[in-house]
């Protein structure tokens, strides 16, 4: 058995009321989510998720989307300070991108891995310090839920039923209990929640 440093594995994702992280139009269908992503509650939540995190885990698609957008926010003096703070963190922090197709790392402070998420997380937990954040990458989150390796969930719940799209919590996950660590409700009915795994 390998030694663990006690690093916490966290994950963040936005969900509709019917538990979906995108709409029926496919992986890029976020139309129902867009009214809520720039609210005060959502921006406060964005700050919360990366506090204490020193490693970001990303799937390739998310990495390409995020790293095509956030670096410009990091240097935009007119951007919301919370957005800039997150953007600077994402640019500067250690990033691990899961991919079967990338052969080189197109971003600074990044390494590409082609390995099961559970194994990568187990290796990361043996060195370093700070939280390991799975950054809005549902495929990685699902794999770690299946392996019961997540310690904290940061969820934004948006008051919309999208009626189709991909769900985070698939049937067949191992049962688990979670404790509410934080909640905040916005004027539009959006809710930021933080759940810690009870072991």
């Amino acid at each position: 058995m390998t030694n663990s440093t006690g690093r916490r594995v966290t994950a963040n994702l936005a969900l509709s009321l019917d538990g979906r992280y995108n709409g029926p139009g496919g992986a890029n269908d976020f139309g129902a989510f867009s009214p809520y992503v720039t609210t005060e509650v959502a921006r406060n939540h964005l700050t919360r998720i990366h506090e204490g995190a020193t490693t970001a885990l990303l799937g390739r698609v998310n990495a390409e989307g995020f790293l095509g957008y956030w670096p410009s926010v990091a240097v935009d003096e007119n951007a919301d300070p919370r957005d800039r703070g997150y953007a600077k963190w994402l640019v500067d922090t250690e990033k691990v991108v899961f991919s079967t197709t990338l052969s080189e790392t197109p971003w600074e402070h990044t390494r590409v891995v082609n390995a099961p998420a559970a194994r990568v997380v187990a290796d990361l937990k043996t060195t370093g310090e700070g939280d390991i954040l799975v950054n809005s990458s549902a495929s990685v989150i699902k794999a770690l839920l299946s392996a019961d390796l997540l310690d904290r969930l940061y969820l934004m719940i948006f008051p919309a039923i999208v009626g189709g799209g991909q769900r985070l919590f698939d049937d067949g996950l191992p049962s688990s209990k979670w404790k509410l660590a934080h909640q905040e409700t916005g004027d539009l009915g959006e809710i930021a929640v933080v759940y810690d795994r009870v072991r």
Side-chain angles (χ1 to χ4, degrees):
M1 181 168 171
T2 57
N3 292 328
S4 174
T5 59
R7 297 182 76 184
R8 190 169 56 172
V9 184
T10 68
N12 73 290
L13 201 62
L15 299 174
S16 64
L17 275 182
D18 50 343
R20 303 177 193 274
Y21 54 88
N22 55 35
N28 295 315
D29 182 0
F30 300 112
F33 294 30
S34 58
Y36 310 103
V37 295
T38 56
T39 66
E40 289 297 299
V41 168
R43 283 188 158 130
N44 290 342
H45 196 64
L46 188 66
T47 299
R48 193 176 301 114
I49 65 170
H50 72 87
E51 287 176 339
T54 56
T55 304
L57 303 187
L58 296 151
R60 178 190 59 81
V61 173
N62 253 25
E64 289 176 342
F66 280 21
L67 294 163
Y69 173 75
W70 286 107
S72 63
V73 177
V75 295
D76 181 356
E77 293 181 4
N78 297 315
D80 184 283
R82 292 162 295 185
D83 292 354
R84 282 191 77 190
Y86 170 78
K88 287 179 178 179
W89 170 82
L90 182 63
V91 169
D92 293 339
T93 201
E94 174 193 26
K95 291 171 285 293
V96 178
V97 176
F98 291 87
S99 176
T100 59
T101 57
L102 288 176
S103 57
E104 57 186 46
T105 59
W107 310 286
E108 288 185 317
H109 313 297
T110 304
R111 64 186 172 100
V112 175
V113 297
N114 180 3
R119 192 168 81 209
V120 172
V121 163
D123 289 345
L124 286 169
K125 290 184 75 165
T126 64
T127 60
E129 57 186 26
D131 290 351
I132 301 163
L133 171 67
V134 186
N135 206 354
S136 293
S137 295
S139 61
V140 181
I141 296 171
K142 286 182 176 190
L144 296 178
L145 281 170
S146 293
D148 195 18
L149 287 174
L150 287 179
D151 302 308
R152 169 168 277 197
L153 281 171
Y154 295 97
L155 300 175
M156 278 298 308
I157 311 297
F158 298 140
I161 294 172
V162 297
Q166 295 170 287
R167 293 183 188 275
L168 175 61
F169 301 109
D170 293 326
D171 288 346
L173 288 173
S175 62
S176 57
K177 291 186 178 180
W178 299 77
K179 176 179 68 175
L180 183 66
H182 180 85
Q183 66 177 353
E184 186 178 359
T185 305
D187 294 339
L188 300 178
E190 75 279 19
I191 305 172
V193 291
V194 181
Y195 283 108
D196 285 332
R197 176 74 169 94
V198 177
R199 300 193 185 277

